[in-house]
Amino acid sequence: MLTQAPRGTRDVLPTDSYRWQYVEDKMRHAAAEAGYREVRTPVFEHTELFLRGVGDTTDIVQKEMYTFKDKGDRSITLKPEGTAGAARAFLESNLYADPLPCKMYYLDAPIFRYEAPQSGRLREHHQFGLECFGAQDATADAELILLAYKLLSSLGVKNLSVNINSIGCPECRPKYHAMLKEFLSGRLDQMCPTCQSRFDRNPLRVLDCKEHKCQELVKDAPSMLDVLCDDCKAHFAQLQECLKASGIPYQVDSRIVRGLDYYTKTVFELITTTKDGNLTVCGGGRYDHLVNQLGGPDLPAVGFGMGIERVLMLLDSEGVVIPEPAWYDVFVTYMGENKLSAFTLVQQLRNEGLKADMDHCGRSLKAQFKYANKTGAAITATLGDDEVANGVVKLKHMQTREERTVPRAEVADAVRDMIK
Ligand code: ATP
Ligand code: MG
């Protein structure tokens, strides 16, 4: 127990964190390029926020939340998704009074869902998410889809398919609900228990059921796209014009509805095929009424969430090699009584902007070199009695074997010169 992490959680170890950092850098860069600035919100929120925001008929709220009472008897929930917290922060700080849109992203936001752990499905995972508040135009939706697509492609994810749909608005959706319910009513007894319970409260979700049996039964269901109101229709057309103009391949899939209640108009998913089947890496859409539902002004918004573990998993399975940075530029080795001299040299090198270290474990000189080699340090800097007496350092390039003896004051420059 003591040395075992809870089921569905994973450590990111020092041996692995460079892979995360590599992906994070690209994500930050992609977000900044489109004017998104970072937001950080708490890991937990009042449970009420998710009941209102995510919707109490969703799987997340009904089955997956980590909810508990704190010592003050308040109901608290660990974030099961990123949008509600971002919207809450946006409202609480009156960011809607600033020039809009307000574009924000979060990176590595821990997300907690009590799901059955399996490949690509954890109980704690991390998301890169973008939210754009106050933009009604489909150019904002298209820009997000494009950003996700370009980011994933540039990381090396292949076989990406972009699937889009429109699920309408409170004006046109009720009509579709009625049509869909009529279609489903004759088939309901053959569907899974979850779908049967969805029928009354959230019939749209039936389209999205992962059970094969249910998928077959809804194959010929009427399409929301046929009953969109003029406004939603025009919006969806504009989205497609933008996507076409930017030349990314996409597909309209009227079965995509997404698992959260707050979506309106655009919904989208970026899916890849792996050897174990389809994997959704990124999901998002428009949520024009969430801000209002949370007590704020009626303000349109659109966003997406991308699972970082899933991105890393895909890069792994595609065989994408992420270069591991060397721990050190230079490793200081020393002989005999010169430990203090080595220590001050390490500090000097660090002060001059180099990644530097020395042995801290009482190793022999030979073992120090062996260790330096293991760390991938490009250069070793050796201090023996002669070097210390003469105020010089002996540098050696670990790969080319080039050696130089340089005055102590010039070591950093010499190291830089040898590395390049
Ligand atoms: P799925 O259909 O796979 O359950 P979802 O619709 O529940 O996904 P979202 O709520 O849209 O997912 O979350 C956005 C992204 O976060 C997903 O596309 C996926 O990459 C990732 N994700 C969601 N749930 C998990 C999980 N349990 N473990 C790891 N990553 C996840
Ligand atoms: Mg899910």
Side-chain angles (χ1 to χ4, degrees):
M1 258 318 235
L2 215 53
T3 53
Q4 204 164 50
R7 225 165 104 70
T9 67
R10 279 219 314 237
D11 300 311
V12 179
L13 298 171
T15 41
D16 214 33
S17 50
Y18 71 94
R19 303 177 67 247
W20 283 70
Q21 289 164 353
Y22 174 86
V23 166
E24 288 160 11
D25 280 352
K26 301 254 182 189
M27 289 175 166
R28 275 189 199 287
H29 188 82
E33 209 176 72
Y36 285 78
R37 290 175 299 161
E38 187 175 1
V39 62
R40 301 187 192 193
T41 64
V43 164
F44 58 86
E45 298 272 1
H46 296 297
T47 303
E48 186 62 25
L49 175 69
F50 303 114
L51 298 185
R52 280 270 206 105
V54 179
D56 54 11
T57 65
T58 59
D59 286 356
I60 290 182
V61 169
Q62 287 196 336
K63 301 190 292 212
E64 299 173 357
M65 293 208 303
Y66 278 86
T67 297
F68 56 93
K69 284 275 174 71
D70 72 4
K71 290 197 164 50
D73 210 31
R74 300 170 198 89
S75 183
I76 293 293
T77 295
L78 304 182
K79 248 192 276 195
E81 55 90 60
T83 303
R88 198 259 320 128
F90 172 78
L91 275 177
E92 184 167 349
S93 296
N94 300 332
L95 297 185
Y96 49 83
D98 295 343
L100 296 174
C102 174
K103 293 175 157 188
M104 49 175 91
Y105 77 89
Y106 43 85
L107 189 61
D108 280 338
I111 304 288
F112 303 88
R113 296 183 188 174
Y114 195 79
E115 302 201 70
Q118 47 181 287
S119 165
R121 197 167 291 287
L122 295 158
R123 289 186 173 163
E124 182 196 33
H125 74 274
H126 299 80
Q127 286 188 14
F128 168 53
L130 280 77
E131 317 287 352
C132 176
F133 294 97
Q136 60 176 40
D137 286 349
T139 47
D141 313 37
E143 133 180 321
L144 284 170
I145 295 172
L146 211 63
L147 191 153
Y149 181 83
K150 273 173 53 187
L151 170 68
L152 291 168
S153 312
S154 78
L155 282 166
V157 177
K158 297 201 192 75
N159 301 319
L160 256 185
S161 83
V162 177
N163 296 353
I164 63 170
N165 189 24
S166 174
I167 56 169
C169 68
E171 199 186 309
C172 48
R173 205 181 309 158
K175 194 163 127 204
Y176 179 65
H177 271 183
M179 277 168 68
L180 183 62
K181 277 176 125 171
E182 195 182 311
F183 171 86
L184 293 175
S185 58
R187 296 165 173 80
L188 204 60
D189 52 347
Q190 301 167 62
M191 303 192 118
C192 75
T194 317
C195 281
Q196 296 187 6
S197 73
R198 281 169 177 153
F199 180 77
D200 278 321
R201 310 176 63 180
N202 199 348
L204 224 54
R205 288 305 313 281
V206 174
L207 296 177
D208 179 48
C209 182
K210 291 189 172 92
E211 298 250 346
H212 180 71
K213 188 174 63 179
C214 300
Q215 283 179 1
E216 284 295 311
L217 284 164
V218 300
K219 238 169 45 195
D220 302 317
S223 164
M224 177 75 220
L225 296 173
D226 295 332
V227 288
L228 290 179
C229 63
D230 288 346
D231 181 36
C232 288
K233 212 180 273 173
H235 197 271
F236 196 51
Q238 195 191 26
L239 170 65
Q240 295 188 65
E241 276 167 21
C242 292
L243 294 180
K244 278 187 194 127
S246 43
I248 70 159
Y250 72 90
Q251 231 150 288
V252 175
D253 179 353
S254 62
R255 223 72 54 75
I256 296 181
V257 298
R258 313 277 312 124
L260 313 171
D261 273 358
Y262 49 62
Y263 285 114
T264 49
K265 291 183 175 153
T266 312
V267 285
F268 63 90
E269 288 182 349
L270 276 74
I271 301 172
T272 61
T273 37
T274 67
K275 59 179 187 328
D276 307 319
N278 285 351
L279 192 72
T280 309
V281 230
C282 175
R286 180 162 277 284
Y287 47 96
D288 286 347
H289 305 294
L290 176 65
V291 173
N292 182 244
Q293 241 167 47
L294 296 178
D298 207 0
L299 207 84
V302 56
F304 74 63
M306 185 182 284
I308 299 185
E309 283 86 351
R310 287 200 191 168
V311 171
L312 286 165
M313 209 175 106
L314 286 170
L315 296 185
D316 245 357
S317 73
E318 304 269 10
V320 173
V321 180
I322 297 172
E324 181 175 5
W327 305 0
Y328 307 117
D329 300 311
V330 47
F331 195 87
V332 176
T333 55
Y334 67 94
M335 264 178 283
E337 302 303 305
N338 299 305
K339 189 183 283 187
L340 188 60
S341 184
F343 181 79
T344 55
L345 179 60
V346 167
Q347 305 315 314
Q348 176 193 327
L349 290 163
R350 289 181 187 171
N351 289 342
E352 298 196 47
L354 289 168
K355 291 191 284 181
D357 210 350
M358 64 185 282
D359 175 55
H360 302 285
C361 304
R363 289 182 173 89
S364 69
L365 184 67
K366 196 173 154 205
Q368 290 177 39
F369 271 101
K370 211 165 144 190
Y371 177 76
N373 206 17
K374 212 175 264 174
T375 68
I379 311 282
T380 51
T382 304
L383 292 169
D385 293 342
D386 287 352
E387 283 83 11
V388 172
N390 296 326
V392 297
V393 179
K394 202 161 129 191
L395 300 177
K396 182 169 169 187
H397 196 294
M398 297 295 271
Q399 230 113 66
T400 65
R401 305 271 134 192
E402 179 198 353
E403 293 191 359
R404 286 191 207 176
T405 299
V406 297
R408 196 168 161 127
E410 292 164 25
V411 179
D413 284 341
V415 166
R416 280 201 189 87
D417 191 55
M418 285 170 83
I419 289 177
K420 80 170 189 249

